[in-house]
mmCIF file with all atom_site columns, all heavy atoms in Angstrom:
data_model
loop_
_atom_site.group_PDB
_atom_site.id
_atom_site.type_symbol
_atom_site.label_atom_id
_atom_site.label_alt_id
_atom_site.label_comp_id
_atom_site.label_asym_id
_atom_site.label_entity_id
_atom_site.label_seq_id
_atom_site.pdbx_PDB_ins_code
_atom_site.Cartn_x
_atom_site.Cartn_y
_atom_site.Cartn_z
_atom_site.occupancy
_atom_site.B_iso_or_equiv
_atom_site.pdbx_formal_charge
_atom_site.auth_seq_id
_atom_site.auth_comp_id
_atom_site.auth_asym_id
_atom_site.auth_atom_id
_atom_site.pdbx_PDB_model_num
ATOM 1  N N   . ASN R 1 163 ? 24.721 22.000 1.973  1.00 0.00 ? 163 ASN R N   1
ATOM 2  C CA  . ASN R 1 163 ? 25.876 22.628 2.593  1.00 0.00 ? 163 ASN R CA  1
ATOM 3  C C   . ASN R 1 163 ? 26.007 24.107 2.286  1.00 0.00 ? 163 ASN R C   1
ATOM 4  O O   . ASN R 1 163 ? 26.754 24.814 2.992  1.00 0.00 ? 163 ASN R O   1
ATOM 5  C CB  . ASN R 1 163 ? 27.152 21.881 2.177  1.00 0.00 ? 163 ASN R CB  1
ATOM 6  C CG  . ASN R 1 163 ? 27.194 20.452 2.745  1.00 0.00 ? 163 ASN R CG  1
ATOM 7  O OD1 . ASN R 1 163 ? 26.831 20.234 3.895  1.00 0.00 ? 163 ASN R OD1 1
ATOM 8  N ND2 . ASN R 1 163 ? 27.636 19.501 1.954  1.00 0.00 ? 163 ASN R ND2 1
ATOM 9  N N   . VAL R 1 164 ? 25.357 24.596 1.252  1.00 0.00 ? 164 VAL R N   1
ATOM 10 C CA  . VAL R 1 164 ? 25.374 26.031 0.968  1.00 0.00 ? 164 VAL R CA  1
ATOM 11 C C   . VAL R 1 164 ? 23.961 26.576 0.920  1.00 0.00 ? 164 VAL R C   1
ATOM 12 O O   . VAL R 1 164 ? 23.659 27.582 0.259  1.00 0.00 ? 164 VAL R O   1
ATOM 13 C CB  . VAL R 1 164 ? 26.125 26.327 -0.382 1.00 0.00 ? 164 VAL R CB  1
ATOM 14 C CG1 . VAL R 1 164 ? 27.603 26.223 -0.184 1.00 0.00 ? 164 VAL R CG1 1
ATOM 15 C CG2 . VAL R 1 164 ? 25.652 25.441 -1.500 1.00 0.00 ? 164 VAL R CG2 1
ATOM 16 N N   . CYS R 1 165 ? 23.052 25.908 1.605  1.00 0.00 ? 165 CYS R N   1
ATOM 17 C CA  . CYS R 1 165 ? 21.629 26.341 1.665  1.00 0.00 ? 165 CYS R CA  1
ATOM 18 C C   . CYS R 1 165 ? 21.353 26.978 3.007  1.00 0.00 ? 165 CYS R C   1
ATOM 19 O O   . CYS R 1 165 ? 21.739 26.467 4.039  1.00 0.00 ? 165 CYS R O   1
ATOM 20 C CB  . CYS R 1 165 ? 20.719 25.138 1.440  1.00 0.00 ? 165 CYS R CB  1
ATOM 21 S SG  . CYS R 1 165 ? 18.973 25.547 1.484  1.00 0.00 ? 165 CYS R SG  1
ATOM 22 N N   . THR R 1 166 ? 20.665 28.129 3.001  1.00 0.00 ? 166 THR R N   1
ATOM 23 C CA  . THR R 1 166 ? 20.323 28.816 4.251  1.00 0.00 ? 166 THR R CA  1
ATOM 24 C C   . THR R 1 166 ? 18.804 28.872 4.455  1.00 0.00 ? 166 THR R C   1
ATOM 25 O O   . THR R 1 166 ? 18.344 29.648 5.310  1.00 0.00 ? 166 THR R O   1
ATOM 26 C CB  . THR R 1 166 ? 20.889 30.253 4.228  1.00 0.00 ? 166 THR R CB  1
ATOM 27 O OG1 . THR R 1 166 ? 20.334 30.965 3.114  1.00 0.00 ? 166 THR R OG1 1
ATOM 28 C CG2 . THR R 1 166 ? 22.408 30.226 4.098  1.00 0.00 ? 166 THR R CG2 1
ATOM 29 N N   . THR R 1 167 ? 18.043 28.045 3.737  1.00 0.00 ? 167 THR R N   1
ATOM 30 C CA  . THR R 1 167 ? 16.572 28.081 3.855  1.00 0.00 ? 167 THR R CA  1
ATOM 31 C C   . THR R 1 167 ? 16.123 27.841 5.294  1.00 0.00 ? 167 THR R C   1
ATOM 32 O O   . THR R 1 167 ? 15.254 28.542 5.813  1.00 0.00 ? 167 THR R O   1
ATOM 33 C CB  . THR R 1 167 ? 15.956 27.060 2.897  1.00 0.00 ? 167 THR R CB  1
ATOM 34 O OG1 . THR R 1 167 ? 16.290 27.404 1.559  1.00 0.00 ? 167 THR R OG1 1
ATOM 35 C CG2 . THR R 1 167 ? 14.433 27.045 3.053  1.00 0.00 ? 167 THR R CG2 1
ATOM 36 N N   . SER R 1 168 ? 16.673 26.807 5.933  1.00 0.00 ? 168 SER R N   1
ATOM 37 C CA  . SER R 1 168 ? 16.236 26.477 7.285  1.00 0.00 ? 168 SER R CA  1
ATOM 38 C C   . SER R 1 168 ? 16.532 27.593 8.257  1.00 0.00 ? 168 SER R C   1
ATOM 39 O O   . SER R 1 168 ? 15.712 27.918 9.141  1.00 0.00 ? 168 SER R O   1
ATOM 40 C CB  . SER R 1 168 ? 16.940 25.188 7.747  1.00 0.00 ? 168 SER R CB  1
ATOM 41 O OG  . SER R 1 168 ? 16.528 24.098 6.964  1.00 0.00 ? 168 SER R OG  1
ATOM 42 N N   . VAL R 1 169 ? 17.728 28.190 8.136  1.00 0.00 ? 169 VAL R N   1
ATOM 43 C CA  . VAL R 1 169 ? 18.123 29.260 9.031  1.00 0.00 ? 169 VAL R CA  1
ATOM 44 C C   . VAL R 1 169 ? 17.175 30.446 8.894  1.00 0.00 ? 169 VAL R C   1
ATOM 45 O O   . VAL R 1 169 ? 16.790 31.093 9.897  1.00 0.00 ? 169 VAL R O   1
ATOM 46 C CB  . VAL R 1 169 ? 19.568 29.714 8.749  1.00 0.00 ? 169 VAL R CB  1
ATOM 47 C CG1 . VAL R 1 169 ? 19.946 30.918 9.580  1.00 0.00 ? 169 VAL R CG1 1
ATOM 48 C CG2 . VAL R 1 169 ? 20.525 28.539 8.999  1.00 0.00 ? 169 VAL R CG2 1
ATOM 49 N N   . GLN R 1 170 ? 16.737 30.733 7.655  1.00 0.00 ? 170 GLN R N   1
ATOM 50 C CA  . GLN R 1 170 ? 15.913 31.916 7.408  1.00 0.00 ? 170 GLN R CA  1
ATOM 51 C C   . GLN R 1 170 ? 14.423 31.670 7.605  1.00 0.00 ? 170 GLN R C   1
ATOM 52 O O   . GLN R 1 170 ? 13.708 32.565 8.045  1.00 0.00 ? 170 GLN R O   1
ATOM 53 C CB  . GLN R 1 170 ? 16.183 32.431 5.995  1.00 0.00 ? 170 GLN R CB  1
ATOM 54 C CG  . GLN R 1 170 ? 17.610 32.895 5.744  1.00 0.00 ? 170 GLN R CG  1
ATOM 55 C CD  . GLN R 1 170 ? 17.790 33.512 4.411  1.00 0.00 ? 170 GLN R CD  1
ATOM 56 O OE1 . GLN R 1 170 ? 16.929 34.188 3.880  1.00 0.00 ? 170 GLN R OE1 1
ATOM 57 N NE2 . GLN R 1 170 ? 18.935 33.269 3.808  1.00 0.00 ? 170 GLN R NE2 1
ATOM 58 N N   . THR R 1 171 ? 13.951 30.452 7.266  1.00 0.00 ? 171 THR R N   1
ATOM 59 C CA  . THR R 1 171 ? 12.512 30.216 7.278  1.00 0.00 ? 171 THR R CA  1
ATOM 60 C C   . THR R 1 171 ? 12.062 29.288 8.421  1.00 0.00 ? 171 THR R C   1
ATOM 61 O O   . THR R 1 171 ? 10.870 29.231 8.719  1.00 0.00 ? 171 THR R O   1
ATOM 62 C CB  . THR R 1 171 ? 12.065 29.578 5.947  1.00 0.00 ? 171 THR R CB  1
ATOM 63 O OG1 . THR R 1 171 ? 12.581 28.214 5.876  1.00 0.00 ? 171 THR R OG1 1
ATOM 64 C CG2 . THR R 1 171 ? 12.556 30.378 4.767  1.00 0.00 ? 171 THR R CG2 1
ATOM 65 N N   . GLY R 1 172 ? 12.969 28.522 9.007  1.00 0.00 ? 172 GLY R N   1
ATOM 66 C CA  . GLY R 1 172 ? 12.615 27.574 9.994  1.00 0.00 ? 172 GLY R CA  1
ATOM 67 C C   . GLY R 1 172 ? 12.067 26.247 9.430  1.00 0.00 ? 172 GLY R C   1
ATOM 68 O O   . GLY R 1 172 ? 11.738 25.341 10.171 1.00 0.00 ? 172 GLY R O   1
ATOM 69 N N   . MET R 1 173 ? 11.997 26.167 8.087  1.00 0.00 ? 173 MET R N   1
ATOM 70 C CA  . MET R 1 173 ? 11.422 24.983 7.438  1.00 0.00 ? 173 MET R CA  1
ATOM 71 C C   . MET R 1 173 ? 12.480 23.923 7.169  1.00 0.00 ? 173 MET R C   1
ATOM 72 O O   . MET R 1 173 ? 13.454 24.191 6.480  1.00 0.00 ? 173 MET R O   1
ATOM 73 C CB  . MET R 1 173 ? 10.755 25.375 6.104  1.00 0.00 ? 173 MET R CB  1
ATOM 74 C CG  . MET R 1 173 ? 9.523  26.230 6.260  1.00 0.00 ? 173 MET R CG  1
ATOM 75 S SD  . MET R 1 173 ? 8.134  25.258 6.900  1.00 0.00 ? 173 MET R SD  1
ATOM 76 C CE  . MET R 1 173 ? 6.878  26.517 6.993  1.00 0.00 ? 173 MET R CE  1
ATOM 77 N N   . HIS R 1 174 ? 12.314 22.732 7.749  1.00 0.00 ? 174 HIS R N   1
ATOM 78 C CA  . HIS R 1 174 ? 13.216 21.641 7.437  1.00 0.00 ? 174 HIS R CA  1
ATOM 79 C C   . HIS R 1 174 ? 12.690 20.364 8.130  1.00 0.00 ? 174 HIS R C   1
ATOM 80 O O   . HIS R 1 174 ? 11.722 20.434 8.901  1.00 0.00 ? 174 HIS R O   1
ATOM 81 C CB  . HIS R 1 174 ? 14.651 21.927 7.898  1.00 0.00 ? 174 HIS R CB  1
ATOM 82 C CG  . HIS R 1 174 ? 14.796 22.090 9.375  1.00 0.00 ? 174 HIS R CG  1
ATOM 83 N ND1 . HIS R 1 174 ? 14.435 23.239 10.023 1.00 0.00 ? 174 HIS R ND1 1
ATOM 84 C CD2 . HIS R 1 174 ? 15.273 21.266 10.319 1.00 0.00 ? 174 HIS R CD2 1
ATOM 85 C CE1 . HIS R 1 174 ? 14.690 23.136 11.310 1.00 0.00 ? 174 HIS R CE1 1
ATOM 86 N NE2 . HIS R 1 174 ? 15.188 21.928 11.519 1.00 0.00 ? 174 HIS R NE2 1
#
Side-chain angles (χ1 to χ4, degrees):
N163 292 320
V164 284
C165 180
T166 60
T167 299
S168 295
V169 175
Q170 297 186 37
T171 69
M173 292 288 179
H174 63 283

